[in-house]
Amino acid sequence: EKDWLAVTGAGARTLQRTASLGGASLSQVADSVGLAQAFMSYGMNPLKGYADFFGSLFVSPQAQRNRREVAAYFGAYIDETRLSFMEELAAPDSPNGYISKANEAFSRLSSINYMTNRTRTASALAMQRFAGESAKKGWDEIHPALQTSMTEIGITKDDWEVLRTFVEEKTIGKETVRGIGVRSIEDADVKRFASIATGTSDRALSNARTLLADKMRIWLRTEMDNQIIEPKTRLSRKMLGSKRRGSVEYEARAALFQFKSHPLSMISERIFRDWRRMQTGGGRVGMAASLIVQTTIMGYASMVLKDLAKGVEPRDPEDPRTIKAAFLQGGALGIYGDFLFGETNRVGGGLASTLAGPTVGDISSLIGIFQKSIEGESVTSQLLQFGYYNTPGNNLYWLRLALDHQIY
């Protein structure tokens, strides 16, 4: 493994991010489907999921801090600096920390951090309210999908009967949530359900109480992760293999899979999850159809926002090509659609080089420009275009209109 190769690879991927994903936050409106689908799978009105998602984007900074504190009280900690999909294929930083600083600055300027933190908070609060409401019912009465999701992370019937007795209301500012208070579980209450504890000693009961609280936190975190699509460690390992950063294999895989972890996570996490939770074939077909329709609508909404940011007329929603692009943008591709359909791919890269990743695509474009220059063709405009599309921040959604119409 070579440190210089790791730093070079990380720098190249950071350049691609900062030059290609200026409108990624506008693509994140499609994440609203995750919360709506969760509401639907749990037998609730999906429109409430959309209301919670979009409502979270317009609360004041102080209200957002209050919401985060309430979520943390119930076991969901929203890390304001966590941005896994931007760091999914990161490598060791440069000696002066320029790579991490560039990623951090770009995530703020592009509003990606803003969108991610707001929507994760909305997801956490919505799921805690749902858990608090479900606590009125015994294990055999709660929604089958909730039974499945809790069983998957190890919450048993006896666990639930303990947890449901600890519903409490927490208010900070104007934010009030009635949920399951994992901090309120006492040893004496765990003792009533001997199957949860491995003994009757104080230590055994304390361990059982801690384990029970941890299970509830894990369930809540799992729901947040499933609704707001982000690459998981397990998926990243499959993409990147077993080699260390700085090895040729690792850097090649990192270049190949850049921007592709979102669609792969969409398939492995959301689609497979909903398929498992549906108990009947008809339910699975209905959920799949609903997912396709909702992601297509939200994908088109994302496309309209980005067209408006560019100062161009939104694409015709009745055009079959627009419908296809909306489906891919909203669900199948996610942020990879920002690259695949974006201006950054209009400098001569072919389909094969595009699918191989943005780094390979850029190398292919440069080779093509070089070959034309050897043949005596003028390549000045192509070089300027290539440089413009690879300038960090060139397509920030709030800056794009000015650059396109005033500078370039």
Side-chain angles (χ1 to χ4, degrees):
E1 293 81 9
K2 302 176 179 63
D3 288 342
W4 67 267
L5 184 58
V7 173
T8 300
R13 292 190 293 276
T14 296
L15 178 64
Q16 293 294 343
R17 293 188 194 103
T18 55
S20 303
L21 301 183
S25 61
L26 302 182
S27 296
Q28 288 179 279
V29 299
D31 284 343
S32 59
V33 175
L35 192 52
Q37 283 288 105
F39 272 54
M40 182 180 296
S41 68
Y42 288 137
M44 298 183 287
N45 188 342
L47 294 179
K48 182 62 168 60
Y50 284 114
D52 283 356
F53 181 95
F54 289 105
S56 71
L57 304 181
F58 301 103
V59 300
S60 68
Q62 181 58 52
Q64 170 63 9
R65 286 191 288 271
N66 294 341
R67 288 161 62 85
R68 286 180 57 231
E69 287 184 36
V70 173
Y73 179 83
F74 287 109
Y77 300 95
I78 313 299
D79 186 351
E80 292 286 351
T81 63
R82 182 175 180 267
L83 196 60
S84 62
F85 87 82
M86 285 294 291
E87 300 168 351
E88 64 195 65
L89 300 177
D93 204 354
S94 61
N96 295 319
Y98 293 136
I99 294 175
S100 61
K101 290 177 182 177
N103 274 318
E104 182 181 352
F106 179 75
S107 66
R108 290 198 307 270
L109 292 172
S110 62
S111 303
I112 292 175
N113 262 357
Y114 178 93
M115 289 287 290
T116 301
N117 294 323
R118 295 295 181 105
T119 54
R120 287 182 69 82
T121 303
S123 171
L125 296 179
M127 287 300 99
Q128 258 303 347
R129 288 190 178 102
F130 173 59
E133 185 67 24
S134 298
K136 298 176 182 178
K137 305 174 183 178
W139 178 262
D140 295 328
E141 300 172 312
I142 63 175
H143 197 281
L146 179 58
Q147 287 184 0
T148 300
S149 67
M150 289 193 164
T151 300
E152 287 176 348
I153 57 93
I155 294 179
T156 65
K157 180 177 180 178
D158 282 347
D159 292 339
W160 176 250
E161 296 303 332
V162 175
L163 287 168
R164 65 188 289 259
T165 63
F166 296 101
V167 174
E168 60 178 302
E169 190 172 280
K170 181 67 175 178
T171 299
I172 298 180
K174 296 182 179 180
E175 191 65 38
T176 300
V177 172
R178 183 175 175 81
I180 295 178
V182 295
R183 299 185 183 187
S184 303
I185 302 174
E186 301 292 342
D187 296 349
D189 297 292
V190 178
K191 193 173 183 178
R192 291 184 293 139
F193 296 88
S195 62
I196 296 177
T198 57
T200 58
S201 66
D202 291 343
R203 182 173 182 179
L205 292 174
S206 178
N207 289 341
R209 177 177 58 83
T210 301
L211 178 60
L212 197 58
D214 287 344
K215 285 182 179 180
M216 194 62 202
R217 292 189 186 98
I218 292 171
W219 175 80
L220 185 57
R221 183 56 179 266
T222 300
E223 289 299 304
M224 291 164 55
D225 288 345
N226 286 339
Q227 292 162 25
I228 310 301
I229 293 296
E230 293 183 332
K232 308 298 187 292
T233 302
R234 180 176 56 189
L235 177 61
S236 296
R237 287 174 179 170
K238 289 181 179 179
M239 291 190 300
L240 301 177
S242 59
K243 298 296 184 179
R244 294 174 61 85
R245 292 167 173 168
S247 66
V248 174
E249 179 182 336
Y250 178 95
E251 298 304 325
R253 282 173 172 265
L256 174 65
F257 285 107
Q258 187 173 17
F259 302 154
K260 297 186 179 73
S261 60
H262 189 282
L264 292 175
S265 294
M266 176 75 175
I267 295 171
S268 64
E269 300 297 334
R270 182 172 296 166
I271 295 177
F272 286 172
R273 177 205 65 187
D274 290 344
W275 188 266
R276 289 194 308 270
R277 290 184 180 179
M278 291 296 101
Q279 303 297 313
T280 64
R284 289 171 174 172
V285 172
M287 185 63 72
S290 171
L291 181 63
I292 291 173
V293 171
Q294 290 184 79
T295 53
T296 301
I297 293 173
M298 288 298 104
Y300 180 69
S302 171
M303 291 165 59
V304 169
L305 290 174
K306 283 183 280 192
D307 284 340
L308 293 175
K310 297 176 189 175
V312 301
E313 184 178 349
R315 278 165 274 193
D316 181 6
E318 296 183 357
D319 188 333
R321 293 173 298 181
T322 300
I323 297 174
K324 179 182 178 181
F327 166 69
L328 293 174
Q329 177 73 76
L333 294 177
I335 63 169
Y336 188 50
D338 289 352
F339 166 72
L340 193 60
F341 298 135
E343 295 290 344
T344 53
N345 191 37
R346 299 180 185 176
V347 292
L351 178 61
S353 61
T354 296
L355 294 178
T359 301
V360 175
D362 276 355
I363 293 174
S364 176
S365 296
L366 284 174
I367 291 174
I369 293 173
F370 179 70
Q371 289 175 337
K372 288 182 179 180
S373 67
I374 292 178
E375 294 170 359
E377 296 184 32
S378 175
V379 295
T380 302
S381 63
Q382 287 181 288
L383 283 173
L384 289 174
Q385 188 181 44
F386 181 88
Y388 171 70
Y389 288 140
N390 283 278
T391 299
N394 79 85
N395 68 345
L396 286 169
Y397 68 93
W398 48 268
L399 186 62
R400 184 63 182 272
L401 186 61
L403 288 175
D404 280 353
H405 292 273
Q406 301 297 328
I407 299 177
Y408 184 71

